Every structure is written in structure tokens, then in C-alpha cells.
Amino acid sequence: MKLGILGSGKGSNFAAILLAIRKGDLDVEVALVASDVADSGILKLAEEADLPTYVIEEPRYRTRLSPEVEERLVAALQAAGVELVVLAGYMRVVKSPLLDAFPRRIINIHPSLLPAFRGVAAWEQALAAGVATAGCTVHYVDAEIDTGEILAQAEVPVHPDDTAETLHARIQAQEHHLYPAVIRQLAKANR
Ligand code: GRF
């Protein structure tokens, strides 16, 4: 199965996916790594790994792409033969050009036990709410934010002395196991 990875940030989930592939634990190919942030860590990781990259240029909006920009991204993903779009810290809302081109073929990882704590800095929301258990969710992407069908979740405890940083780090460590595991299941089902 060919993956198209979309990210805006440091790319630690992408790094975990790459590591799983290199260790022989994940039989997929990264066909394209796209980012809306030209100097993002995720693009640097892709370049270091000699993988094809694509910079999404969006001068107009901060939270989404213009339809024509998203259509160009779709064309690049399709030209690379992408079968599954993997959002890995992609900070834009996905709109209809991408959703329509990859129905039930776009997944995301979110740092909470959805449906709790949708949106930004979910681990801070969890801390503020005083929950005893936090975690992460892999889900299909639909037209809303963090609402698509849930594929898998992993829990982590919240410690009494947790800060936003320590809780986020504990959640991310789980993300790095969960995301490759879910992609492995989807790749098996794709064969
Ligand atoms: C992760 O915490 C993920 O849950 C959220 O964005 C973050 C991406 O981190 N959607 P990274 O770029 O993979 O390190």
C-alpha cells in the first residue's frame, strides 16, 4: 500500500512510521510527504530519507486550503499512486477536493480519547478537565474536525504532577505505537 503523508510539524509520528517500515514491521511504501510548512521537521525527515516531497503553497488561509490549492495537492497524491492519506500533525481542515478524492482513505491521529477533547492542544484540555485517563485516537477523516469513525485508541494515565509537556510526551509515545499498528491493519485489509 502506498502512503501519502501530510504534516505541518516536527513529524515524530512520521518518524515512527518510517522506523516501523525499516524494521520490517510495516509493509507499506511512502509515496509522497506533503507539508504546508516549507521548513517543517517532517519535510526535513522526508528529505533525509530520500523520499518524494511536496510543499503546499497556501497564501490565502491559515486553517484550510483554497479549493484550487487542495486540488493540486490531490493531483500530486494521485500522480504518486497514493492509496491511503495519513495525516500526521497536519494543521489544516481537510475539505471536499481531498475528501472526495480519497473516500474512507484518509486517517488522522489525535491526542485524546475521542470524542472527548476535539480540536487544538487536546492534552491541555484533558489536564484542565482533571481526567484520570488520557490517550490518543486514530480515526477516519470526515468533513468535521476530529469526528470521523474511530479505528483505534490507546490510553495513558494522567499523573497528579503532570504538566502539559509531560502528559503530551506520554501520549505521543503511545501515538508512535498506535499509528503504525493501525496502518499495518489497513494495509493487510488492502491486499
Ligand atoms: C500529534 O500529537 C498528533 O496527535 C496531532 O499532531 C501531533 C503531531 O506530532 N494530530 P508530530 O508532528 O507527529 O510529532
Side-chain angles (χ1 to χ4, degrees):
M1 189 167 65
K2 291 191 176 193
L3 308 186
I5 311 275
L6 263 57
S8 309
K10 65 182 194 287
S12 69
N13 279 283
F14 170 54
I17 292 165
L18 272 186
L19 185 63
I21 294 171
R22 285 189 186 130
K23 281 164 58 183
D25 290 343
L26 185 56
D27 186 15
V28 297
E29 183 191 325
V30 177
L32 191 66
V33 181
S35 179
D36 57 331
V37 180
D39 61 353
S40 57
I42 195 166
L43 279 185
K44 289 199 187 84
L45 285 172
E47 280 155 16
E48 282 163 20
D50 265 331
L51 292 167
T53 58
Y54 180 89
V55 178
I56 305 162
E57 306 273 4
E58 175 51 78
R60 259 204 285 173
Y61 304 114
R62 285 173 61 86
T63 58
R64 62 186 169 103
L65 303 180
S66 320
E68 58 274 17
V69 173
E70 200 168 271
E71 270 156 26
R72 282 201 291 277
L73 170 64
V74 166
L77 293 165
Q78 287 172 336
V82 166
E83 299 169 275
L84 180 71
V85 177
V86 175
L87 307 189
Y90 180 63
M91 297 307 285
R92 308 259 180 171
V93 181
V94 174
K95 307 300 279 187
S96 50
L98 191 53
L99 286 171
D100 293 348
F102 292 93
R104 273 178 82 84
R105 290 273 163 179
I106 309 175
I107 60 173
N108 181 46
I109 189 155
H110 180 75
S112 81
L113 297 173
L114 289 172
F117 312 128
R118 294 163 52 196
V120 292
W123 61 93
E124 288 179 11
Q125 297 182 49
L127 262 191
V131 293
T133 307
C136 51
T137 302
V138 179
H139 63 94
Y140 283 115
V141 173
D142 64 14
E144 305 297 318
I145 297 174
D146 305 325
T147 55
E149 183 189 329
I150 291 172
L151 283 156
Q153 295 186 308
E155 294 183 354
V156 302
V158 180
H159 298 160
D161 59 349
D162 262 334
T163 63
E165 288 70 33
T166 58
L167 180 58
H168 190 207
R170 193 173 310 116
I171 292 170
Q172 281 226 299
Q174 280 306 311
E175 291 183 349
H176 301 158
H177 294 292
L178 188 67
Y179 221 3
V182 172
I183 294 167
R184 187 182 310 120
Q185 290 303 319
L186 293 175
K188 269 189 201 154
N190 191 52
R191 279 197 203 113

